[in-house]
Amino acid sequence: MKEKILGNLKKCIMVNPLLLLVFILISTLSLIYVFYYKMDESAFAYIAYVFSFYTLSVSVFRLTLFIKKMDIKKKKKALADRNMVAKRFFDDGRFHFFLLFSLSIPLNIGYAILKTVYGFVLHSNWIVQNGVYYALLTLMRFIIIRGAEKNEEDKALKLSSIILSISSFHYLLMVLEMYLHTSSPHYPGYIVYVASLYAFIKVGVAIKGCIKLKTTATPAIVAGNNLKISHAFVSLIFLESGMLNIFGEGTEEERLILLISGLVVVAYLFVSGPLLIVWNKRNKV
């Protein structure tokens, strides 16, 4: 009996890849249909939720098995042997960090311009403030990278940390705007899942950076990683406000929860900068 149950369970998990692709397509279309026609509480919606959860779980499990079968170290070595840039990317932790860190700058610049222009067009003070936030984020990234290039990492850490602390007052205005005027991102229902994925990826990258600090700690990398953590927290608040806007009822309790979450992030932005400066003076890494 036990073997039969395990066998059936294995069949449910080890779905044929082509069939799994069909499941993914059905799940995606059903969720789009549910959110587009606002059928959130219908019987069809609950079936779609359960089926989508099953499909996602199986997909993650199969992906994990696929990754385990790959000899990643061997593939990385083969790529590094063929390409000097790839070799440096895999072997040089500092180069690896700043290459990925630099790629975010053009994205942040584009996002800052888009948000600011969009805010002025819609006469939305909150969206304009969002654009200013991304402009400040771009400035801090640029300062850290230039400091690393000019071998002025202590100066870059100090300046970027001061700007981060100052930006906490700007972010406080955004949090108050979300609380007082219920301003928040207006995601379509199905887009909120993409926003969720983005936010949790940012958190994962920040955590990974913290773990790697033991082997790659320099003032610029520490400052850059703190910036990643700060941006991950801000992304989570934006996600929380967007989800409350879609799934919430606009009650005072929901707005208060958002306010408290936002104030915690504001406190982190304000305090982390000075603490980082003090830490750097004591350690002189």
Side-chain angles (χ1 to χ4, degrees):
M1 184 64 180
K2 183 180 179 181
E3 288 77 9
K4 187 176 181 180
I5 294 174
L6 291 174
N8 291 330
L9 182 61
K10 185 177 180 180
K11 288 180 182 178
C12 291
I13 295 175
M14 301 302 292
V15 180
N16 183 282
L18 291 178
L19 184 59
L20 183 58
L21 289 175
V22 174
F23 284 176
I24 292 172
L25 179 62
I26 294 174
S27 300
T28 304
L29 293 176
S30 61
L31 289 175
I32 292 174
Y33 182 82
V34 166
F35 291 121
Y36 184 79
Y37 290 102
K38 299 180 180 179
M39 300 170 59
D40 302 41
E41 297 183 2
S42 65
F44 177 79
Y46 288 112
I47 294 173
Y49 296 152
V50 172
F51 184 71
S52 298
F53 176 76
Y54 162 74
T55 303
L56 179 62
S57 301
V58 172
S59 300
V60 171
F61 182 77
R62 292 298 299 268
L63 181 62
T64 304
L65 289 180
F66 177 75
I67 292 174
K68 283 185 175 180
K69 288 180 180 179
M70 294 174 59
D71 192 343
I72 297 178
K73 288 185 177 180
K74 187 176 180 180
K75 290 183 180 295
K76 284 171 61 176
K77 186 177 184 305
L79 181 61
D81 290 340
R82 295 195 306 266
N83 189 296
M84 291 302 296
V85 176
K87 180 176 177 58
R88 190 179 177 192
F89 180 80
F90 292 132
D91 297 341
D92 189 340
R94 180 183 173 85
F95 178 77
H96 178 100
F97 178 88
F98 283 111
L99 178 62
L100 297 180
F101 197 67
S102 302
L103 292 176
S104 299
I105 288 184
L107 294 176
N108 289 156
I109 291 174
Y111 213 55
I113 295 173
L114 181 64
K115 285 281 187 179
T116 304
V117 173
Y118 191 52
F120 278 118
V121 170
L122 296 181
H123 304 287
S124 171
N125 181 53
W126 187 84
I127 297 178
V128 172
Q129 290 179 15
N130 202 337
V132 173
Y133 163 76
Y134 277 96
L136 290 172
L137 185 64
T138 304
L139 176 62
M140 288 183 281
R141 286 182 182 274
F142 182 76
I143 289 171
I144 292 170
I145 291 171
R146 290 295 292 173
E149 289 177 349
K150 293 184 176 182
N151 200 24
E152 298 177 349
E153 296 197 16
D154 291 332
K155 182 178 178 181
L157 180 144
K158 185 176 181 179
L159 184 56
S160 63
S161 297
I162 290 172
I163 295 175
L164 182 62
S165 293
I166 294 173
S167 72
S168 67
F169 295 102
H170 172 260
Y171 186 64
L172 175 62
L173 295 177
M174 296 180 66
V175 171
L176 293 176
E177 180 88 13
M178 286 189 284
Y179 173 70
L180 296 174
H181 304 293
T182 62
S183 299
S184 65
H186 292 269
Y187 301 121
Y190 54 90
I191 295 296
V192 76
Y193 295 103
V194 179
S196 302
L197 179 63
Y198 171 79
F200 286 111
I201 286 176
K202 298 294 291 186
V203 173
V205 169
I207 293 173
K208 182 181 178 182
C210 290
I211 296 172
K212 283 190 171 183
L213 281 179
K214 292 182 179 180
T215 57
T216 60
T218 68
I221 290 180
V222 171
N225 198 66
N226 185 52
L227 196 58
K228 286 183 178 181
I229 295 171
S230 302
H231 185 46
F233 286 156
V234 171
S235 298
L236 287 175
I237 298 300
F238 285 166
L239 174 63
E240 181 184 358
S241 63
M243 293 187 74
L244 287 175
N245 184 34
I246 294 174
F247 302 112
E249 298 178 358
T251 63
E252 178 64 21
E253 289 79 8
E254 291 175 352
R255 292 166 58 212
L256 187 60
I257 290 172
L258 180 61
L259 176 64
I260 294 172
S261 303
L263 291 178
V264 170
V265 175
V266 169
Y268 179 84
L269 297 179
F270 180 74
V271 172
S272 65
L275 288 179
L276 211 58
I277 294 173
V278 172
W279 171 86
N280 189 47
K281 285 183 177 179
R282 289 180 177 178
N283 289 275
K284 283 296 180 182
V285 294

